[in-house]
């Protein structure tokens, strides 16, 4: 059924060409001094037209049948007329649906057959070769142009799909980096604390091991939710809270549990932020606190989130070993910058003059 629907337009085109041929051949003959057209000539006109029903799925075969019919028609001394329309369609179809070399070879053979019929049966002279050539070369050029344009369109769609897939992979990589990086940094510090206290203060070491268990479970839950959303094409798993500023207390508590004091200052209406801005703000705080755990030692950290009607400003600073020295940006900072830039915001990160490191991001709010 699907193939019938696909070929129906070509069938209708073939019937239309046959109708035009039946109606227009006799008048064309009279204009050229041919009083009557025999029945066998109409058979060839209909044959050339009906061959166009196969012009898409068998264009070379359709051109062969059409060119043969036109050649026999002209060889019999019949008038130039609507039968040439079928030849035009056949040559165009070969150019539009077959590679250039195949199309050129088929069109050349068709031109030779038509020219032979015209020279022998139609009384054409060698000076009249240009008109038949135009009936073949013109449609072939148009068909090749259409095919090249169609192939370019398909290639552009493939390239766009590839770019979208690359962008999605990058987004997933950033999400996984943020989730796993923060969890492993917290677990690493908690493990070091547990090893240090295990021999002398086993009860406190037990608390550190409990914190490791809780942190790893939370990180796994968030990672599972992120990957589950990617598989389904959603934003986040409905079974777990969406990462956002609403989960900021959990993030801060996890950082405090490894001995890093963190102060939090929230200002403005944070509850109604767009999902993309809410997620980006959370990830910036998460990655910044991860860097504090990795690089700042036992420094203290401060988190500030201020929301206005126009933008959200997220700032995370610490009093660790950042200092004024140059800092080589890592994947975390690069990921934050890409995330902020994609949302039309700006990010500044670097050592603080009095020691430590600071990250400040400004995200525009489009409610």
């Amino acid at each position: 059924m699907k193939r019938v629907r696909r070929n129906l337009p070509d069938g209708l085109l073939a019937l239309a060409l046959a109708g035009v041929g039946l109606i227009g051949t006799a008048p064309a003959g009279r204009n050229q001094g041919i009083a009557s057209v025999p029945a066998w000539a109409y058979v060839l006109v209909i044959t050339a037209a009906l061959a166009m029903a196969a012009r898409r799925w068998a264009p070379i075969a359709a051109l062969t049948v059409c060119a043969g019919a036109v050649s026999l028609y002209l060889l019999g001394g019949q008038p130039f007329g609507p039968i040439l329309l079928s030849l035009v369609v056949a040559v165009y179809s070969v150019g539009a649906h077959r590679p250039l070399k195949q199309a050129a070879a088929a069109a050349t053979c068709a031109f030779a057959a038509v020219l032979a019929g015209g020279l022998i049966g139609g009384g054409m002279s060698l000076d009249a070769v240009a008109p038949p050539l135009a009936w073949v070369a013109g449609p072939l050029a148009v068909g090749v142009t259409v095919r090249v344009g169609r192939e370019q369109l398909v290639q552009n769609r493939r390239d766009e799909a590839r770019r979208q897939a690359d962008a999605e992979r990058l987004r997933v990589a950033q999400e996984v980096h943020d989730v796993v990086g923060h969890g492993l940094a917290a677990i690493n510090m908690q493990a070091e604390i547990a090893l240090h206290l295990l021999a002398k203060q086993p009860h406190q070491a037990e608390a550190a091991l409990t914190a490791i268990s809780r942190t790893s479970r939370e990180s796994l839950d968030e990672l599972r939710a992120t990957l589950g959303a990617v598989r389904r094409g959603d934003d986040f798993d409905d079974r777990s809270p969406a990462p956002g500023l609403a989960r900021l207390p959990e993030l801060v508590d996890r950082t405090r549990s490894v001995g890093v004091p963190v102060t939090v200052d929230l200002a403005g209406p944070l509850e109604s932020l767009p999902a993309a801005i809410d997620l980006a703000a959370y990830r910036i705080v998460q990655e910044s606190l991860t860097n504090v755990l990795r690089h700042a030692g036992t420094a203290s950290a401060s988190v500030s989130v201020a929301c206005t009607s126009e933008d959200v400003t997220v700032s995370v600073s610490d009093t660790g070993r950042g200092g004024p020295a140059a800092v080589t940006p890592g994947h975390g900072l690069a990921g934050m910058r890409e995330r902020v830039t994609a949302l039309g915001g700006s990010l500044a990160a670097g050592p603080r003059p009095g020691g430590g490191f600071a990250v400040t991001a400004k995200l525009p709010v489009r409610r």
Side-chain angles (χ1 to χ4, degrees), residues 185 189 287-299 318 320-322 327-328 330 333 357:
M189 288 200 66
E287 179 61 27
S288 299
L289 291 179
T290 301
N291 291 336
V292 172
L293 295 177
R294 287 175 175 171
H295 308 300
T298 57
D318 64 71
R321 300 187 295 265
V327 176
T328 302
L333 284 177
F357 198 84

Side-chain angles (χ1 to χ4, degrees), residues 82-176:
I83 192 172
L84 295 177
L85 294 176
S86 298
L87 180 65
V88 169
V89 174
V91 174
Y92 163 82
S93 301
V94 167
H97 298 286
R98 285 294 178 267
L100 179 58
K101 290 184 178 180
Q102 293 183 19
T108 301
C109 294
F111 171 69
V114 172
L115 181 62
L119 290 174
I120 297 173
M124 290 174 53
S125 63
L126 291 176
D127 295 336
V129 172
L133 180 60
W135 284 91
V136 174
L140 177 64
V142 174
V144 170
T145 302
V146 170
R147 178 179 57 81
V148 171
R150 185 168 56 239
E151 291 176 351
Q152 184 62 46
L153 180 61
V154 171
Q155 185 61 42
N156 290 341
R157 289 175 178 173
R158 289 175 179 169
D159 292 342
E160 180 61 25
R162 190 178 298 112
R163 284 192 292 269
Q164 291 180 358
D166 291 342
E168 179 65 13
R169 282 193 289 269
L170 177 60
R171 185 184 72 83
V172 173
Q174 289 177 343
E175 293 295 323
V176 172

Side-chain angles (χ1 to χ4, degrees), residues 94-348:
V94 167
H97 298 286
R98 285 294 178 267
L100 179 58
K101 290 184 178 180
Q102 293 183 19
T108 301
C109 294
F111 171 69
V114 172
L115 181 62
L119 290 174
I120 297 173
M124 290 174 53
S125 63
L126 291 176
D127 295 336
V129 172
L133 180 60
W135 284 91
V136 174
L140 177 64
V142 174
V144 170
T145 302
V146 170
R147 178 179 57 81
V148 171
R150 185 168 56 239
E151 291 176 351
Q152 184 62 46
L153 180 61
V154 171
Q155 185 61 42
N156 290 341
R157 289 175 178 173
R158 289 175 179 169
D159 292 342
E160 180 61 25
R162 190 178 298 112
R163 284 192 292 269
Q164 291 180 358
D166 291 342
E168 179 65 13
R169 282 193 289 269
L170 177 60
R171 185 184 72 83
V172 173
Q174 289 177 343
E175 293 295 323
V176 172
H177 172 274
D178 292 344
V179 173
V180 176
H182 181 80
L184 290 181
I187 290 172
N188 178 66
M189 288 200 66
Q190 290 162 343
E192 290 181 354
I193 293 173
L195 290 174
H196 180 72
L197 297 175
L198 185 60
K200 300 179 180 179
Q201 298 175 322
H203 293 295
Q204 295 186 16
E206 181 181 356
L209 292 174
T210 302
I212 289 175
S213 175
R214 184 180 67 254
T215 301
S216 61
R217 183 173 61 253
E218 292 173 353
S219 298
L220 285 173
D221 288 342
E222 188 172 351
L223 181 61
R224 190 178 298 112
T226 301
L227 296 179
V230 170
R231 294 190 188 99
R232 296 190 313 276
D234 301 332
D235 286 336
F236 297 99
D237 195 327
D238 294 337
R239 294 172 298 176
S240 60
L245 293 176
R247 298 181 60 180
L248 190 58
E250 301 174 18
L251 182 63
V252 171
D253 289 343
R254 193 183 306 160
T255 306
R256 288 170 177 165
S257 67
V258 298
V260 178
V262 181
T263 60
V264 179
D265 182 20
L266 304 178
L270 303 176
E271 297 80 8
S272 58
L273 288 176
I277 301 297
D278 195 25
L279 173 63
Y282 175 83
R283 292 302 189 204
I284 290 168
V285 175
Q286 184 182 50
E287 179 61 27
S288 299
L289 291 179
T290 301
N291 291 336
V292 172
L293 295 177
R294 287 175 175 171
H295 308 300
T298 57
S300 62
S302 62
V303 176
S304 172
V305 181
C307 178
T308 67
S309 59
E310 297 181 354
D311 54 50
V312 176
T313 302
V314 181
S315 179
V316 181
S317 60
D318 64 71
T319 59
R321 300 187 295 265
V327 176
T328 302
H331 294 293
L333 284 177
M336 279 193 286
R337 195 175 302 279
E338 290 175 1
R339 188 189 295 273
V340 171
T341 302
L343 294 172
S346 61
L347 183 137

Side-chain angles (χ1 to χ4, degrees), residues 6-7 9-10 52-59 62 93 97-98 150:
R6 185 170 62 247
N7 295 328
D10 292 336
M52 295 306 98
R55 72 181 192 90
R56 293 179 192 268
W57 54 272
S93 301
H97 298 286
R98 285 294 178 267
R150 185 168 56 239

